[in-house]
Amino acid sequence: MKNIRNFCIIAHIDHGKSTLADRLLQTTNTISDRDMMDQVLDDMDLEREKGITIKSHAIQINYKHKDGQEYILNLIDTPGHVDFSYEVSRALAACEGALLLVDAAQGIQAQTISNLYLAIDNDLEIIPVINKIDMEGAMIEEVKDQIVDLIGCIPEEILLASGRSGIGIEAILEAIVERIPAPQGKPEEPLQALIFDSVFNSFRGIIVYFRILNGSIKKGDKVKFVSTDQEYEAAEIGILKLKMTEKKEVNCGDVGYLITGIKNAKEVKVGDTITLAANPTQEAIRGFQEVKPMVFAGIFPVVTEDFEELRDCMDKLQLNDASLTFELETSQALGFGFRCGFLGLLHMEIIQERLEREFNQTVITTVPNVSFIAYTTRGEKIQVNNPAQMPEPTAMDRIEEPYIKAQIITKPDYIGNIMTLCLGKRGILINQSYLTQTRVELIFEMPLTEIVFDFYDKLKSQTRGYASFDYNPIGYRDADIIKMDVLLNGDKVDALSALIHRSRAQDFGRKLCEKLKELVPRQQFQIAIQAAIGAKIVARETISAMRKDVTAKCYGGDISRKRKLLEKQKEGKKRMRQIGNVEVPQEAFLAVLKLDD
Amino acid sequence: MMAGIYIHIPFCRQACNYCNFHFSTSLHYKNDFVAALLNEIQLQAAANYLQDQSIATIYFGGGTPSLLTVEELQQIMQALQQHFTVTADAEITLEANPDDVTDEKLVGWKTLGINRLSIGIQSLFEEDLQWMNRAHTAEEAKQVITKARAAGFNSFTVDLIYGTPGLTDEKWLSNINWVLQQNINHLSCYALTVEEKTPLDKLIRQHKKTDVDAEQQSRQFILLMNELQKAGFEHYEISNFAKPGYRSKHNSSYWKGVHYLGLGPSAHSFNGISRQWNVANNQQYIQALQQHTIPFEKEELTKEQQLNEYIMTSLRLMEGCDLHYVEQRFGIAAANRIRTEAVAFVSKGLLTAANDHLILTQPGKLFADSIAADLFA
């Protein structure tokens, strides 16, 4: 056990984490140059495209130190977006140390700070690394000062590296061995292992990734998951090389995988404790929490008959994404579907894309909202995750909305823009402080609902990308939230309803109608689009009837051109949903996310 | 089986602003083009795309075939006669613009065996012709049929365009009536379509011309159908009307799966399972044929694509989509799927389904494209 090191990398998006990880694997021959693809750890297509790590993965590195001994370094990869802090916290709990990776040109970002605090709370040994030191615009000394201020280390402890050109990789490996403590567990105690991730494999069932804190696990052991109290046989265990490598035993302090043949997604919870059925541990590992979703939206199949298939896919997705929650939802317009809870909008987008790409589902996602709390005149307290759950105005006493504390770090030049943006989103400035001469931290309290839609994008454009943002919930406050309904040809479309602050309602309704007019194609009859609060119509647009749709000339060259055009049109129709007699395209249900100012 | 030949003449004196067919207004390479075309005729005959089928129709389209000299046309006709078996009663059509129709040319065309003229009249109002940037005048248009009759032609078709901004319903009716008075037996009428990348498209985007009005177009289409029905014409294809016995044989082959060979730049050929098309560029066409190669691309049509094309073209015809034929060629499942999906259109009054044929009703004809797309495999 004294030759095991478990570590992770804390970094902001684009600060070069995946490239550095690749380099560690290459330098130690964990992966041959021939097999090397950029960012090997990011094995989902989506991750590669978006350039971010969504799911934690782990990989074992064998490293021979200059002291002559062989070490096992378990690298646990973590996501780097504000939506995924729960996954980060589980990955951190499986480690004794962390590389704090900071881009030499960009310096410390808000996201990095919050994850760093998480790591310090978990008593992790921090190894600061300044990356991309060979890039133009590198400000090594300034970034060093920031790091010293932040974690109170001495400048000499900061390593300099470039993942791209391989500078400083050996020094990082040495520091991992020398500075990060070996795991502290007791091999003779009952098994206590932390589940920090899981994936679904269509041939093997659920594969559980774990870190052993105490005891050990052998192939064939009867194991128990503490939070669910379910027992399984450890049909296969092993360690995580680039591919899974089967072992007879995985020992105290190490990281490994477990296959039990579990098929049902709900049985495996990230953060849960694995122990032995015959000799169970007395306590579960600290820090397990049910994931709290921040944003809720409906997901429905485009074709109603595909509901059961979608349910199956959602179950499978939830297996390797414990932060996705969902329950059955029925919509008059869309039929059966799910009200899903997401960590944020990016998470929602990723789930929708994964359903489409990995599971071949065509889905409609409805207007997202945060979770409100309504108090009725009869004294009931109702959690409102869905506009349909909102009590009638006459039955409503008051409503509360979730607030967050937002931390924004930027250059002083952009303070004005950020103030305008945040105050316009009902934010309250709590504090403003200079971290360094060129780096200022702004703290706002803001309604969560104001940041879930386009806040992050707006922040980026208002600051030309020179702002980083992090937030955490600070409870509920009174709010004037109303339900905005949308009617198509007089019929209320529940799937288009939205919960919105009263001060925004009129403007929101008008823009929503305009956007829907753009997105809903002309049909053979006129379509009225109306936005309403209760019985009061606040905005209206009309899509006039299509008068004709017929090609004039259809001769030699026109035929294949026209056929291809109509085939495409037919394909597009498959992604539409009939509501009453109106065909509504998939993207119209998310029109609210595309409203212009 | 009989087949057709289409010859694309890629030159115009002046560009009509709505046209998206391939043409050049630079006549400089006309001689080189004719030489290249003669080469292509020889090479295509050797390639035998039409599998020795006799040629029942020849169609000179464009562009503007009437701007070729009689000598040039003669060379082309001679080459066709030499390399293909053209039936004695073949329908041989030439597209002509009114400004090209001189007595000399008419005599020459007649001698060459051309027996049908397709005249691009479009409108008999000067302001409409100018709006479209047509090369001829209304006066030239009005005289052309009389002249051609005098030269011994008795089979005509004329093209008219409706839905042009500025074309009132009264003017449209007057254009239709002129055709009826001339006692012409075939008429093609096209709704003005704003095709991408045409000058018209650009002018409308720049707000220099008024966009077309779908309401006006559908109204004038209905006027047209009613007027020509009263006058005893068959509405045998969406844009084509003929007195019984006077349908265009050549154009019908496009819609009925008859095989055809296209010669000249951008021309398309079809033999039931594949379609191929020549490069749509005069220079490249000429250069390739100087090297004795035909510059073309080809696609094989899958069963599904063949079915979709059948649905699309047959629905445009008076006889409609023959589901018995679909059943035989594409299988019972395909036919039954269409039968099921057609029900919604029948109940909306857009289709009729008599004798296992799906036929567009008059309101249905306004939506031929979306109905076809919905019935696609």
Side-chain angles (χ1 to χ4, degrees), chain A residues 32-45:
Chain A
S32 67
D33 289 347
R34 200 166 56 89
D35 294 339
M36 188 73 199
M37 278 187 294
D38 281 344
Q39 302 190 14
V40 279
L41 289 185
D42 296 349
D43 56 10
M44 287 194 295
D45 283 353

Side-chain angles (χ1 to χ4, degrees), chain B residues 7-27:
Chain B
I7 303 125
H8 190 79
I9 308 299
F11 297 102
C12 290
R13 287 209 175 77
Q14 149 177 354
C16 308
N17 58 24
Y18 54 82
C19 181
N20 71 337
F21 289 145
H22 167 69
F23 66 90
S24 165
T25 48
S26 154
L27 307 189

Side-chain angles (χ1 to χ4, degrees), chain B residues 44 177 244 329:
Chain B
Q44 290 283 18
N177 278 324
R329 192 168 149 205

